[in-house]
Amino acid sequence: AQSVAQPEDQVNVAEGNPLTVKCTYSVSGNPYLFWYVQYPNRGLQFLLKYITGDNLVKGSYGFEAEFNKSQTSFHLKKPSALVSDSALYFCAVAPNAGNMLTFGGGTRLMVKP
Amino acid sequence: NAGVMQNPRHLVRRRGQEARLRCSPMKGHSHVYWYRQLPEEGLKFMVYLQKENIIDESGMPKERFSAEFPKEGPSILRIQQVVRGDSAAYFCASLPGTGTTGELFFGEGSRLTVL
């Protein structure tokens, strides 16, 4: 069975500073990894995914994530945070060739002006 | 192209009543997933359906919960004899069924409150 851990309930960052939201995973076989964002009272929106290829994946709104196989991690990053990035971020994993996503518990990102 | 449509957005039920949540996937999408989000928690997979078929219901509670995705019309998540612990946001997501992997398109959720 696959699982995802997001060790931080909340991450606080000042606007303009780089941000990292951590994610580690456990899955059999090659992982498919995803990040989604949820704004208040809204559904989740897809940000980016890693299937294969380059370990650094670029996504929407200037976000990127780095796949690290040895550390089984897929941390979300952004070089310069915006106040509007404040939201709930979910990491997810699926087994290879599957669409059965398992989500982490979410990390609330707070970007202060 | 309309997104995934869920209704009602908010539903209040008393203990013992039934709750029916509807989900119309994006046009052309034939795969539907239901997830539950408890307050301050992540999303938990409930069920995965294709038209007229339940593909995976491993996340569904064994009693009181059922789901369907008929040939015509929306997918329905039905909760019978609701209890307070059923209070949550229920999200539906859809996929075309072929091609993209994992880029689920989510609806805005149905928030169930059980009094």
Side-chain angles (χ1 to χ4, degrees):
Chain A
Q2 61 253 32
S3 65
V4 176
Q6 293 182 242
E8 304 152 314
D9 288 337
Q10 183 160 316
V11 170
N12 297 311
V13 174
E15 188 174 30
N17 282 2
L19 69 88
T20 298
V21 182
K22 294 180 182 176
C23 170
T24 58
Y25 66 90
S26 172
V27 69
S28 300
N30 294 320
Y32 288 6
L33 295 157
F34 308 86
W35 277 100
Y36 283 79
V37 60
Q38 184 182 30
Y39 297 99
N41 298 314
R42 305 295 296 274
L44 276 68
Q45 296 176 34
F46 171 80
L47 269 182
L48 51 80
K49 69 179 177 184
Y50 171 83
I51 303 296
T52 186
D54 253 350
N55 289 344
L56 187 64
V57 179
K58 293 189 185 296
S60 308
Y61 313 122
F63 283 93
E64 57 190 29
E66 186 164 15
F67 170 61
N68 187 316
K69 188 172 183 178
S70 63
Q71 296 186 3
T72 61
S73 67
F74 190 56
H75 300 332
L76 181 71
K77 301 183 181 189
K78 187 172 181 181
S80 178
L82 299 172
V83 172
S84 57
D85 292 330
S86 299
L88 194 53
Y89 290 81
F90 290 96
C91 181
V93 67
N96 51 317
N99 279 317
M100 299 304 301
L101 268 64
T102 297
F103 286 85
T107 298
R108 189 167 301 283
L109 174 66
M110 299 287 290
V111 182
K112 299 208 161 98
Chain B
N1 189 10
V4 177
M5 304 300 291
Q6 289 189 247
N7 69 82
R9 292 291 310 277
H10 300 275
L11 182 63
V12 179
R13 286 287 179 265
R14 297 191 179 281
R15 280 180 297 169
Q17 291 184 319
E18 178 179 286
R20 280 187 184 236
L21 310 177
R22 294 174 200 78
C23 169
S24 296
M26 285 185 73
K27 189 176 179 181
H29 287 196
S30 58
H31 292 212
V32 165
Y33 300 76
W34 284 94
Y35 285 84
R36 176 164 64 174
Q37 185 177 33
L38 293 168
E40 304 302 319
E41 292 190 16
L43 275 76
K44 303 294 184 189
F45 166 76
M46 298 183 76
V47 62
Y48 165 34
L49 309 108
Q50 296 177 20
K51 286 279 187 182
E52 300 184 280
N53 283 310
I54 295 174
I55 306 303
D56 186 326
E57 57 181 348
S58 58
M60 289 277 271
K62 294 287 185 278
E63 296 176 348
R64 303 186 297 109
F65 284 72
S66 62
E68 62 176 8
F69 189 17
K71 188 176 179 182
E72 302 291 337
S75 176
I76 306 279
L77 179 67
R78 182 182 177 207
I79 311 172
Q80 295 178 288
Q81 300 175 316
V82 296
V83 301
R84 288 219 174 101
D86 297 333
S87 295
Y90 292 83
F91 289 96
C92 170
S94 72
L95 269 180
T98 57
T100 58
T101 298
E103 291 180 50
L104 295 173
F105 292 83
F106 280 84
E108 306 226 319
S110 291
R111 281 155 183 83
L112 172 65
T113 301
V114 180
L115 301 177

